[in-house]
Amino acid sequence: MTTSTPARKLGLKERYALLTRDLGWETSYQPMDKVFPYDRFEGIKVHDWDKWEDPFRLTMDAYWKFQGEKERKLYAIIDAFAQNNGQFNVTDARYINAIKLFLQGVSPLEYAAHRGYAMAGRNFRGVGARIACQMQSIDELRHSQTQIHTISHYNKYFNGLHDFKHMHDRVWYLSVPKSYFDDAMSAGPFEFVTAISFSFEYVLTNLLFMPFMSGAAFNGDMATVTFGFSAQSDESRHMTLGLEIVKFLLEQDPDNLPIVQKWIDKWFWRGYRLLTLVAMMMDYMLPKRVMSWSEAWEIYFEKNGGALFQDLARYGIRMPKYHEQARKEKDHISHQAWGIFYNYTHAAAIHTWIPRPDEMAWLSEKYPASFDRLYRPRLDHWDREAQDGKRFYNNALPMLCQICQIPMAFTEPDDPTRICMRETTYHGMKYHFCSDGCKDVFEGEPEKYVQAWLPVHQIFQGNCGGATVPEVLDWYHLKAGEDNGDFDTSADRRNWDRWTGGDTPEKQVA
């Protein structure tokens, strides 16, 4: 009689090692530097690639199991939401504009991240890094798909959701998020993962996902909440990996420190400027608000981010440059951004409006040092103009910042009554910036940013369908003259009143 000894079951650490170490090899008929030409040209020095490990030690079999379970739960809830006409459970039709902004500006970034991590993974010679990038690339593709599938339900009932991918590539305000990822994807692989995995995923992602998902919950949009929860475990893994990436680079060689610090400075500022759109959404676009942008900045960056950089101080990393300016601007940027969109809403795929009296009171309470003194008078003036049938639209094209591509409407950090404007000269040409931070980014890599695709410049050059507003809007795939971007005269507002029996926000307040 013979007995067989059962094969020993491999532990998680051993299975992860087989996946991320035994699949690698040294090339023979071509040198490694020729196969992986981009992981050294940034100046980063790596002496031991085996030190790069995913803290979760996730293997492919476990990955597919976890993600499959999440998909089944997510799509069951999405189906139930659609079958029960969940679109009527939101607070009012103004809220849908936050979803429009998310679909137009954030979901395409998830797809860009999918492409970016696939490219970064191809260019790392360390197998652990390649596997980590592959996992995150698949995550980002899944996030893009689930967001599009979830939000597509609203496309049956509301305008502005019909051609988000086309708009992302062309519409003026969407050049802000698009330029951010174009900048990251055209950098080297180490800068890309520092920009996205650390600066955005770890330092700033809570300021993106918390407002949108909590805002969705407060406003009855449980479908959006669900895809947020479905992505949250992935985001937690991405945040942890982002921190580990920076620690890995700093531990490999002391010469990496100034390079990484420069990247952190740059991508903090670029990410902060991108989040201006989120600040505006939080303070103006949610009928039921979660918290103000100022409060969110204090919690998620000043406190949480401050603790993070205290932890990294032992590696020699300091707080990002210009974080003091961001602290000063937290009482202003959302109001200034809403002013920009109110001016140019006739050329946007979202609506704008004057806040209701109770919303004005909320803004006054949350911004006691700035709102009543600086921003309420302007909103009151625009409201009077609209009541007289002279709703204000700015038909002149604004000057744009060469880096963040936002119209130049931000004010001086220490004087909110003066527009902040910086300029520099490069090869005989003048370039303009909204802040010292953007000017600094340009002067670090001027050859890169002189090539920026600025919507206003392109319109003046005749590259956006024509020289008139209707021609540009047609190129955007928007229809001129339907409601000129004002919510109160929009089809969304009329349809909502018809569907809900005229239960408008004004009646609810009364």
Side-chain angles (χ1 to χ4, degrees), residues 25-324:
W25 66 88
E26 290 286 327
T27 56
S28 55
Y29 60 89
Q30 290 289 350
M32 289 286 279
D33 284 347
K34 194 170 181 180
V35 177
F36 299 101
Y38 296 119
D39 68 353
R40 288 188 176 173
F41 87 102
E42 298 164 293
I44 291 292
K45 298 175 182 176
V46 176
H47 303 293
D48 185 1
W49 277 103
D50 282 343
K51 296 292 185 182
W52 182 307
E53 286 195 4
D54 178 351
F56 290 84
R57 292 189 172 89
L58 194 60
T59 57
M60 291 308 299
D61 57 338
Y63 179 81
W64 297 125
K65 179 174 181 268
F66 296 150
Q67 300 299 70
E69 290 173 355
K70 289 194 292 185
E71 293 284 279
R72 285 190 292 274
K73 294 173 183 176
L74 170 64
Y75 281 95
I77 294 173
I78 292 175
D79 289 344
F81 183 83
Q83 292 171 19
N84 289 280
N85 287 317
Q87 74 277 3
F88 296 137
N89 292 328
V90 301
T91 45
D92 71 64
R94 290 181 303 159
Y95 163 75
I96 304 299
N97 288 281
I99 295 302
K100 295 174 188 178
L101 188 61
F102 190 94
L103 181 65
Q104 296 161 10
V106 178
S107 297
L109 297 188
E110 303 273 19
Y111 187 78
H114 152 68
R115 295 179 59 227
Y117 278 104
M119 290 190 290
R122 165 59 185 88
N123 289 297
F124 286 134
R125 69 188 70 198
V127 187
R130 270 182 263 159
I131 293 293
C133 287
Q134 178 190 11
M135 297 280 197
Q136 186 151 347
S137 177
I138 301 170
D139 282 344
E140 306 293 3
L141 179 60
R142 173 181 173 269
H143 295 174
S144 177
Q145 291 171 336
T146 56
Q147 290 163 17
I148 293 166
H149 292 166
T150 303
I151 296 173
S152 66
H153 176 74
Y154 289 111
N155 187 46
K156 304 171 188 175
Y157 304 96
F158 300 97
N159 291 332
L161 297 154
H162 58 290
D163 207 353
F164 68 92
K165 184 177 182 298
H166 176 91
M167 293 178 187
H168 182 74
D169 290 338
R170 298 191 179 193
V171 177
W172 60 275
Y173 60 94
L174 298 175
S175 73
V176 177
K178 186 176 190 298
S179 69
Y180 180 96
F181 258 84
D182 285 353
D183 188 354
M185 292 170 67
S186 55
F190 281 114
E191 182 177 353
F192 175 84
V193 296
T194 305
I196 308 304
S197 292
F198 179 74
S199 294
F200 201 80
E201 296 272 13
Y202 197 95
V203 179
L204 298 171
T205 195
N206 281 329
L207 284 157
L208 174 67
F209 266 84
M210 187 287 301
F212 274 110
M213 300 313 135
S214 298
F218 269 57
N219 286 276
D221 180 9
M222 298 316 295
T224 295
V225 173
T226 303
F227 82 60
F229 281 153
S230 184
Q232 195 56 49
S233 60
D234 300 338
E235 296 298 341
S236 299
R237 183 156 35 83
H238 300 171
M239 291 172 67
T240 306
L241 185 60
L243 181 59
E244 293 304 314
I245 286 167
V246 167
K247 289 182 177 179
F248 168 80
L249 297 179
L250 297 173
E251 289 168 355
Q252 283 295 303
D253 196 286
D255 290 346
N256 293 339
L257 173 60
I259 301 172
V260 172
Q261 182 67 65
K262 182 180 179 181
W263 289 341
I264 291 173
D265 292 344
K266 169 188 172 181
W267 289 103
F268 161 77
W269 188 257
R270 290 233 57 193
Y272 163 68
R273 273 293 184 247
L274 171 59
L275 290 173
T276 298
L277 298 175
V278 180
M280 174 188 75
M281 184 278 296
M282 290 183 70
D283 285 346
Y284 285 87
M285 297 174 73
L286 297 178
K288 289 187 177 179
R289 291 159 173 79
V290 181
M291 64 174 67
S292 68
W293 168 254
S294 177
E295 290 170 325
W297 186 256
E298 289 169 2
I299 293 170
Y300 293 108
F301 183 77
E302 291 178 11
K303 293 181 181 177
N304 295 359
L308 164 67
F309 284 100
Q310 285 179 5
D311 180 54
L312 291 174
R314 68 179 186 272
Y315 294 97
I317 292 291
R318 54 165 171 74
M319 285 284 284
K321 199 173 181 182
Y322 299 116
H323 71 93
E324 304 95 336

Side-chain angles (χ1 to χ4, degrees), residues 325 329 332 336 410-422 436:
Q325 180 171 335
E329 289 184 348
H332 302 281
Q336 293 166 2
F410 297 117
T411 53
E412 291 284 353
D414 296 311
D415 185 356
T417 64
R418 290 181 57 226
I419 298 294
C420 180
M421 191 171 292
R422 304 289 185 264
D436 293 314

